[in-house]
Structures are given as structure tokens and as C-alpha cells.
Amino acid sequence: MVAAVGRLAAQQHPEAIPTLIRVLGYNNPGAAVAAVDGLVALGEAAVPALLEELDGYNYGARAWAIRALSLIGDPRALDILLETATGDFALSVRRAAAKGLGYLNWKLLPSGQVAEAQVQSLKALIQGTEDPEWVVRYAAVVGLQGLALAIHETPCTEDFTTIQQQLQRVVQQDNALAVQARAKWALTTLADVASSR
Amino acid sequence: METDAKQLVNAQGESLTVEQAVANLQQREDTGLRYYAAWWLGRFRVTQTDAVDALIQALEDESDRAPDGGYPLRRNAARALGKLGQSRAVAPLIQCLDCDDYYVRESAAQALGALGDGQAIPALLNLLAGGVDAAVSVEGKPHLVQPYNAILEALGCLGAQSAVEDIRPFLSHPVAQVQNAAARAMYQLTGDDSYGQRLVERLQEPNLQLRRSAMMDLGAMGYLPAAEPIAATLAENSLKLIALQGVLEAHLQEVRFPDADLTPEAQRVLALMDDLL
């Protein structure tokens, strides 16, 4: 099945979208990876169907769908990512959403809406760094790094500093070594960017 | 499906206080409540004296019996004690290695490995008596005569240098999972890279269960050269992330992070983890 899904995904044909989404619910990690790759390659074309089909009952499938939306980065997914990053009971869903919030393609939003949307993402990601599961906190740190890099291109840098301070807190206070390490790495990356400004 | 501890908590429904959990464990009317309380105390790492006492007492429970004659409460109590880091649980757990319930012996061996007390080594070694020839399956049961995986892994965790020659033959046990456990222990006891590589090769197995268990072994061993192969194997991202966390944190401890800077190796593993989120 993995090979068949791989071939279908490689066609990059919009008509394959419903089938690829169905594969996300088959509980076959190899096939799901191939289906996500296919959906991500289709990009924006896959977004409406993914948003519509988000399976409320199968959290395995939902995690893969959120992952696909996160990798595509289309801001039409913003609301669902905000909602799931902090409110979903499944940690694999919160994890995928938290990363996605940091890597949205903000240029696709009307310029008047960008600032407000970024503030919402920032709030959700800061909350994500307090999640009980280490892997969600890890993903929130990755998301914060992505958001900081995006914000850096805009004139307002106040939020950039807020993110640096939050990452500093994570380095000092998180009880998972992996999360501390990721926050440290994010701070190094952001310091490099800030100094080249 | 991705494993999810959070869901397990919710699925069990009720939330408990420590006092209720201890009381539930001590009452005798409802075996279901006792069983759940034992799990709960381990899950939430409750180390207060009366909780640990009640768990140790539950290791001798006679009232909760499974249809196969086993002791469900003893199994859960042993698992919980493995999470609590209390050295006074070591002797009672060693006793459990003689229990006629296979799953009690398995939970006790795992707990003893986690507690890290070398006192357990002779009793664990005893269970390897007869070597590979004696390590056959029990008729009509889905398991071998002893919980060899748990025993070998515990001996590895406990740094049982004296056990190396008893463990080595299990590298060629007919069951692949037992071979993996032996390779993991041999790597921990000898530091010989070839044992790590054996497990890395397992990540190419067609069987998903085998790939998963090799991945978890490599993570538990903190085997840095396995980072890329783990990221590339066909399995759930959730399990890959846990395995990579194990690899990363072993390395970070070795280089004394956070006092020391992040090494290029650590950054390499972090980049792999980012891609799996």
C-alpha cells in the first residue's frame, strides 16, 4: 500500500486529494507519511479539503491532517491551528499545530490582518511552552523560532524581544533537557539574525 | 495510531487525590479500584511513605486473580514501584522474581532495572539459568518461560559486568526481540559499537513491531550514530521523537549541557526532530 500511495502522491493531481486524505485514517504510518508528502506537494489546492475533512473522531488521522496543513503553511488554517495547538486532547495534534503556527506563509494574508494573526499565534505558542508534554513544548519552541524570524521582517520588533525572553525562560526552567537544548538553539539562531540586521 | 499518554488519563475518567488513591489501594472490596490506584500512584510519581508501603504490600496480594491464575494487582504495583525510585522496594521486588505469574516476574525485572540497585543482579542472573537452551516458549502461552527481554535489559541498566558471558549467547536466541535486548545489554556493558549497529540494521526489518522495538532500544541506549537511521525508518513520528529524545539527552548529559554549549552533534539531532513534528 505504501508504494501505491507513493505513486498516487507523485502524480500531484488535485483529484487524488480525497483519496490521500482517506489514507491518513488507515493507521499505517508508512502510507500516511507518503500521503502527507503528496498533500504538501499539492499545497494550497489541498487546503480546503483538508480543513473540511478534519476527522473529529480519529485522532491519528487528525494529527496527520494537521501536520499536512502545518507543512503547507496556508494561513486559512490559522483558526484550526490556534484551536488545536492548545485545546486538542491528543499530544500528537497539539505538537503538529504548534510547529505550524510558527511557519505560516503570512504573505498570503491581507496586510491589514497580519499583525493581529501573529499576536494570536504568539499567545498560543507561549501557552504551548507550558504544555504538560515535553514534545509539545519542544514544538512550541520551534514555532516561536519560526514566528520570530517572520516578525523580524516587519518594522515592529517588540514581539521579537518577547519571544527571546520566553525562550530564555524555557532554557532556564524546562525540566526536559531536549526542550532546553532546542530553546538554546533557537536563541542562538535569533541572535545571529538580530546581529545581521 | 500514535501513542498518547494523555488519552489514557482521560479514558480512565475520574481524577483522584493522593489520599483517595492510597485508600482505594488499601480497601479490599473493589479489585478494579485497587488496580487503577496502583497505576495512578506510579503515573503521578507519588513517593510519600504510606503510598509506597501500600504498593509494597500489594506485591503480596492474593485477592485479585486473573482467569489465567495471574495476579493483576501485583503486576501493576511492581510497575508503579519501578517509577518511584524507592530503594526499599528492591528486596520485595526481588522476591517477585520467584512469583509463578510470568507477568509479575516481567514487571518486577523492569522495575528492578529502573531502580538501578545492583543487589538485584544475582536474582536476575538466576532467571537466565540453563541459557538459550532453556529459553523456550510455554505451550499455549504467547511468551517464553522467563521474561528474557526484561531480564536482559535490566542487567544492562544495572551495569552487570559479571553477566556478560551469560548474556552473550542470547544474541542468537531464535526470537528477534530477545536478540535485540541482548544486543542492547551487551552495548551498555561493553561499549562495543558492533552491538549498536546490530540494532540499527533492525530498522530495515519489514516487520513494523520489530522496527519499533529496535528504535526504542536505540533511544534507551542513547546510541548517537542511530539518529539518522531512526529518523528515516518507517514508523510513527511520535515514537521516532521519543527515541531521538533518548539519543539526544544521553549525548547532552555526556557533554554536560546546559553548562556546555550545544555541540554540532546535538544540533544535528535537533534538526532531525524538527522535521518530525
Side-chain angles (χ1 to χ4, degrees):
Chain A
M1 175 157 85
V2 178
V5 176
R7 278 195 300 275
L8 185 62
Q11 309 230 327
Q12 296 203 20
H13 200 290
E15 278 173 28
I17 291 171
T19 310
L20 292 173
I21 290 178
R22 230 176 6 258
V23 172
L24 303 181
Y26 285 172
N27 192 17
N28 178 329
V33 166
V36 168
D37 287 348
L39 290 162
V40 172
L42 283 158
E44 289 170 39
V47 172
L50 275 166
L51 289 174
E52 245 167 69
E53 301 279 327
L54 269 175
D55 189 334
Y57 298 97
N58 179 342
Y59 68 83
R62 208 162 66 255
W64 289 113
I66 292 288
R67 178 169 158 75
L69 285 169
S70 290
L71 289 168
I72 294 169
D74 188 310
R76 281 175 290 177
L78 177 65
D79 285 340
I80 188 78
L81 294 180
L82 284 171
E83 193 183 304
T84 49
T86 53
D88 201 282
F89 75 88
L91 68 93
S92 47
V93 176
R94 299 202 301 283
R95 172 187 93 210
K99 185 188 179 190
L101 282 176
Y103 294 87
L104 289 174
N105 187 352
W106 302 104
K107 294 193 183 75
L108 296 178
L109 271 183
S111 59
Q113 293 173 23
V114 174
E116 170 62 18
Q118 289 183 339
V119 167
Q120 286 178 308
S121 286
L122 177 60
K123 255 196 186 142
L125 287 170
I126 286 181
Q127 199 183 327
T129 62
E130 309 283 336
D131 197 278
E133 300 291 342
W134 75 270
V135 79
V136 179
R137 302 197 301 278
Y138 184 103
V141 166
V142 174
L144 281 174
Q145 175 181 317
L147 186 62
L149 294 174
I151 286 172
H152 189 64
E153 292 164 10
T154 66
C156 167
T157 55
E158 193 188 317
D159 289 338
F160 190 87
T161 315
T162 306
I163 292 175
Q164 285 180 308
Q165 288 165 345
Q166 185 64 18
L167 291 170
Q168 199 67 55
R169 269 197 289 278
V170 172
V171 171
Q172 286 159 359
Q173 292 170 6
D174 202 280
N175 62 18
L177 215 44
V179 178
Q180 289 179 297
R182 188 61 188 82
K184 180 85 180 249
W185 196 29
L187 280 170
T188 315
T189 308
L190 297 186
D192 289 348
V193 173
S195 67
S196 67
R197 192 178 167 92
Chain B
M1 194 180 300
E2 310 231 324
T3 45
D4 207 319
K6 195 82 185 169
Q7 199 205 22
L8 192 61
V9 179
N10 291 345
Q12 296 288 343
E14 74 186 291
S15 62
L16 284 175
T17 64
V18 172
E19 289 67 31
Q20 278 172 325
V22 174
N24 286 354
L25 184 55
Q26 285 169 329
Q27 56 83 36
R28 298 296 159 110
E29 284 75 41
D30 185 337
T31 51
L33 274 184
R34 301 185 78 193
Y35 184 79
Y36 180 65
W39 172 84
W40 192 92
L41 291 169
R43 167 69 178 80
F44 294 103
R45 304 272 195 283
V46 178
T47 53
Q48 68 184 49
T49 313
D50 56 346
V52 178
D53 287 345
L55 285 168
I56 290 175
Q57 218 164 43
L59 293 176
E60 297 181 348
D61 174 70
E62 290 287 350
S63 61
D64 187 4
R65 301 299 293 264
D68 63 356
Y71 298 90
L73 179 62
R74 294 191 193 187
R75 298 170 189 169
N76 253 9
R79 280 182 212 121
L81 286 166
K83 294 179 182 156
L84 302 184
Q86 304 294 301
S87 57
R88 65 202 169 90
V90 170
L93 284 166
I94 290 174
Q95 295 269 303
C96 288
L97 295 177
D98 291 328
C99 181
D100 52 19
D101 179 357
Y102 170 93
Y103 297 103
V104 171
R105 298 198 299 280
E106 182 180 53
S107 307
Q110 286 164 344
L112 288 164
L115 291 177
D117 188 324
Q119 269 186 71
I121 293 172
L124 287 163
L125 259 176
N126 259 341
L127 299 186
L128 297 184
V132 175
D133 290 340
V136 294
S137 49
V138 181
E139 216 185 299
K141 299 272 180 176
H143 57 69
L144 303 173
V145 289
Q146 295 295 350
Y148 292 100
N149 289 354
I151 297 162
L152 295 167
E153 284 171 19
L155 288 167
C157 290
L158 296 177
Q161 300 295 339
S162 61
V164 165
E165 291 317 314
D166 295 281
I167 295 171
R168 192 190 306 276
F170 284 88
L171 291 166
S172 41
H173 189 279
V175 176
Q177 247 86 339
V178 176
Q179 294 169 19
N180 286 1
R184 170 174 158 179
M186 289 297 285
Y187 177 77
Q188 287 172 315
L189 297 175
T190 67
D192 184 335
D193 200 60
S194 67
Y195 298 114
Q197 287 304 321
R198 274 173 192 250
L199 285 163
V200 168
E201 281 164 29
R202 286 275 193 239
L203 298 174
Q204 302 300 322
E205 285 283 336
N207 179 319
L208 175 62
Q209 279 305 339
L210 272 183
R211 296 199 300 274
R212 282 178 180 151
S213 83
M215 210 163 65
M216 291 299 109
D217 283 332
L218 288 162
M221 278 155 54
Y223 187 61
L224 190 59
E228 277 83 5
I230 287 171
T233 193
L234 284 176
E236 301 83 336
N237 287 3
S238 292
L239 293 186
K240 291 187 192 183
L241 283 162
I242 293 169
L244 287 173
Q245 181 201 21
V247 168
L248 174 69
E249 293 195 343
H251 171 72
L252 290 173
Q253 274 160 1
E254 204 176 307
V255 300
R256 301 189 184 285
F257 178 86
D259 298 330
D261 280 338
L262 279 182
T263 59
E265 288 84 5
Q267 292 182 13
R268 218 182 72 214
V269 183
L270 289 167
L272 293 169
M273 290 171 73
D274 282 9
D275 284 338
L276 294 166
L277 295 171

